Each structure stands twice: as C-alpha cells, then as structure tokens.
Amino acid sequence: MRDEHAFATRPIDEMYRWFADEAEPTSPIWGTLCRWIAETPEVCERLDTLPGRRRQPNLFLASIRYLNGPTAPGDEFIAWVGENWDAIEELILSRSTQTNEPGRCAVLAPVLASLPQPIALLEIGPSAGLGLFPDKYRYRYTGDVRQEVTPPTAQPDAPELVCEVTGRPPGDPSLLVVRARAGLDLNPLNPGDPDDVRWLRALVWPGEDARERRLVSALQLAGSNPPRLIKADVTERLHLLLALAPAGTTPVIMHSAALAYLPRAERDDVVQQIRDSGMHWLSFEGPTVVTSVREQLTDDDAWASRPNFVVALDDVPLGRAAAHGSWVSWY
Ligand SMILES: C[S@@+](CC[C@H](N)C(=O)[O-])C[C@H]1O[C@@H](n2cnc3c(N)ncnc32)[C@H](O)[C@@H]1O
C-alpha cells in the first residue's frame, strides 16, 4: 500500500521550511538549521533518498544529536553529513519518534485523581513508560490554582512538573494512588538502557534544557523500578493490556500523543475496543485525533492560534492543554 502520509510525500525543502516554523519558538537552533537545509540542495538530495515516513525531520535531527554532529549551518555541516551518512541512515531506519514527555502527567494527574482510588493505569503507546508514574512526580501549579502537590507515594525529592492552570481542575493529585501500571507499545524503550536513554535525550530539541533535565530525572525514577511494558501492536493486541488490571482497582486506559500514529480506520477501531471494555478512558491527543472528541469541540476558533492538545475522560472533553503539559485550561 502506498504511504500517503505528509512525511512520505511532501518535498523535503517544503517539509523543512514547515518544521523550521514549528521548532523556532523553543529551539532557534533547529529553526535556523532547518531553514538553511531547505535552501541547501546537497543536504535535501540526501534526505530525499530516505524511504516513506523516515523522511520526517525529527528523525534526522535526533540522529545529529545522537551522533554529536554539528548543529550550525555551513560547509562543516555538509561535510559531516557526507562522512557520517551510513551511521545517520542506520539510525533513521532503526529508530522512531518515541518522544516521551513526563510533563503531560501534570494534566493527567488531576483527572486520574477524580476517579475512585486506587487506579490501575494501562497506557497505549507509553514509549519508555514515563507517563505511567503520575503518582510519583511532584506538581507545582500556578495561575488560577496555586498549589504544590506531592501525591502520597511520591518522594520529597521526586521530579517536579510545573503547570500553569486556568479554571478548576477535576481532581486533586494529592489523593492519587496508582496500584498497578502497565503499557503496550510497538517498541517499548527501557528507561534503564543507556542507548534508549541517549535516543530519548536526542529527541529533545537543542535549547529545551529544562525539558531535557525533566526527562533525565524521570528516566532515573522509571529506571529504578521499570513498569511492565508489552511489545505489541495495539491494533491487534489491546486485550493483553486490558487483562492486567488487578481486582480492587479502577482500571483506566490512557493514551497521549499515541493514537495519532494510527491510520484513521484502525484508530477508530481501537477507540471502539476501548469503549467496549467498559473501563475508564483517558485521552490526551491533538484536537482532531479522536473523532468523537473532535465532534464535541465547539471552541476551535478560540484556540486556532495556540497549538494545543485536548484532555478527555470517557469521551468527554475536559480541557485544552500544551502538548507537553506546561499549561492547561479546564472547561
Ligand atoms: C510520541 S510517542 C508518545 C509516548 C508517550 N505516550 C508520551 O506521551 O510521552 C508515541 C508512542 O506510540 C507508540 N505506537 C505507535 N503506534 C503504535 C501501535 N500501533 N501500537 C502500539 N504502540 C504504538 C510508539 O512506538 C511510541 O512509543
């Protein structure tokens, strides 16, 4: 079947120009480099030899970081890409964009805390599983809610996640207790494996230093007590994950920045399986990803100029938030 995804079909120069705009606000280094790549045929021609979705800019850029390559435009960059192309290509073909962002827990924790405790948290597409520890991070909320929260089982020196809040959160994370946690991923990463850790760090954009520090401390936390992660395709094996909720818990199926990777028909099918399970369903994705959530959003115009994710529980949108959890606006 022909791959129609934009990463597979869009001209390289156009794609890197688009990506430059995406990266610029938080990573001017990537913004500048990507804009220059778009104007540099020597680099574009090489990138155009990559197959299908492997042409996605994030994979090439993470490979540069992983291999400690130069990040400034110019002849040195062109020469480095030429000399290291075999290693770059091998990485791009063997690795995927599995960015794992613990900051999202600042948005998810108040929703989980609104349910009967304790929780069994079952995540689709967990990457290294950093989203499976909402009860182990500390939270500092600012804005309408000024609150420093340490859930009952979090250590006093646990990684702190900061989030600016508008509106009233659905629950209080100081009540959150996660009794069981498990995930199912096409390619689970191991938070204790140095090579996986290096790749996850490489996926963070240069200049996002606070984000990288947060990632490293969350990886240490998860690496000291790794969650159970099943290697499987959710479109075929969701039932393996659903079977892992122990008696006496409230099972919650959760996914963040994961369903977007499935083609629409398979995504709708997974959503139907989640509904049929009768378990709670916590979704944190871009506004158009889950069809039924998308149809309930009546405030798109107000949010058109601010990139956002939608947090929804049991198919009901609860709020909009930054994709990495740095702010949330509850309905
Ligand atoms: C961008 S990462 C998000 C990781 C994590 N949920 C977070 O929010 O930080 C997307 C994850 O979804 C996984 N994934 C994509 N398609 C999948 C599928 N069909 N079955 C299981 N996992 C899948 C990928 O392997 C990857 O680890």
Side-chain angles (χ1 to χ4, degrees):
M1 196 174 64
R2 198 172 131 71
D3 189 346
E4 299 292 349
H5 195 279
F7 290 146
T9 57
R10 222 166 157 184
I12 290 284
D13 59 340
E14 198 182 287
M15 195 151 55
Y16 274 77
R17 237 169 259 123
W18 159 76
F19 198 84
D21 290 342
E22 293 282 305
E24 185 69 42
T26 56
S27 182
I29 295 176
W30 271 175
T32 304
L33 184 70
C34 289
R35 210 159 282 117
W36 172 81
I37 288 174
E39 308 301 328
T40 308
E42 294 98 312
V43 183
C44 286
E45 281 160 19
R46 254 186 211 284
L47 295 173
D48 216 10
T49 65
L50 293 167
R53 298 186 195 200
R54 301 282 156 184
R55 297 159 84 254
Q56 129 179 47
N58 246 331
L59 281 175
F60 175 55
L61 297 168
S63 302
I64 298 170
R65 296 254 284 168
Y66 181 95
L67 296 168
N68 293 320
T71 54
D75 291 344
E76 194 197 327
F77 184 86
I78 297 174
W80 181 85
V81 171
E83 284 157 19
N84 292 278
W85 183 249
D86 287 351
I88 296 170
E89 193 177 39
E90 191 188 326
L91 261 181
I92 290 177
L93 296 181
S94 62
R95 288 287 188 180
S96 310
T97 309
Q98 291 192 264
T99 308
N100 201 184
E101 181 47 75
R104 293 178 175 134
C105 287
V107 177
L108 302 177
V111 184
L112 292 167
S114 72
L115 298 170
Q117 306 296 306
I119 300 286
L121 191 55
L122 309 172
E123 185 177 3
I124 297 169
S127 182
L130 304 184
L132 284 167
F133 294 91
D135 56 329
K136 302 290 182 194
Y137 303 124
R138 292 177 303 129
Y139 301 98
R140 182 152 53 87
Y141 294 106
T142 63
D144 288 354
V145 174
R146 293 184 177 274
Q147 191 187 16
E148 291 188 11
V149 189
T150 304
T153 58
Q155 297 296 321
D157 61 348
E160 184 184 63
L161 308 179
V162 182
C163 178
E164 189 185 350
V165 181
T166 307
R168 199 148 67 96
D172 176 357
S174 67
L175 304 175
L176 178 59
V177 178
V178 178
R179 170 114 357 121
R181 59 195 100 228
L184 179 146
D185 199 291
L186 271 184
N187 180 41
L189 297 181
N190 178 351
D193 177 80
D195 200 44
D196 284 353
V197 168
R198 186 168 159 197
W199 179 249
L200 285 167
R201 290 183 72 167
L203 282 164
V204 177
W205 299 346
E208 296 184 331
D209 298 341
R211 207 179 144 208
E212 192 170 350
R213 281 195 298 276
R214 186 167 73 209
L215 174 71
V216 169
S217 56
L219 282 165
Q220 280 164 356
L221 188 152
S224 65
N225 191 10
R228 178 164 182 190
L229 301 181
I230 303 168
K231 183 177 171 74
D233 186 332
V234 65
T235 61
E236 296 164 2
R237 301 254 189 279
L238 178 60
H239 59 279
L240 296 179
L241 184 64
L242 304 188
L244 295 179
T249 59
T250 300
V252 182
I253 303 168
M254 186 264 278
H255 53 85
S256 71
L259 286 205
Y261 290 84
L262 308 183
R264 177 67 64 180
E266 294 178 7
R267 200 185 304 168
D268 289 346
D269 183 55
V270 167
V271 163
Q272 193 53 48
Q273 289 182 54
I274 296 174
R275 285 201 193 99
D276 292 346
S277 76
M279 295 180 177
H280 285 290
W281 169 28
L282 176 54
S283 159
F284 190 52
E285 304 278 348
T288 62
V289 172
V290 178
T291 308
S292 51
V293 170
R294 163 90 202 83
E295 287 166 356
Q296 297 173 69
L297 300 175
T298 52
D299 58 347
D300 268 347
D301 288 347
W303 289 97
S305 62
R306 196 172 186 197
N308 64 84
F309 270 24
V310 174
V311 55
L313 180 68
D314 300 335
D315 231 353
V316 178
L318 299 182
R320 305 261 188 169
H324 295 159
S326 60
W327 56 263
V328 58
S329 179
W330 299 107
Y331 286 136

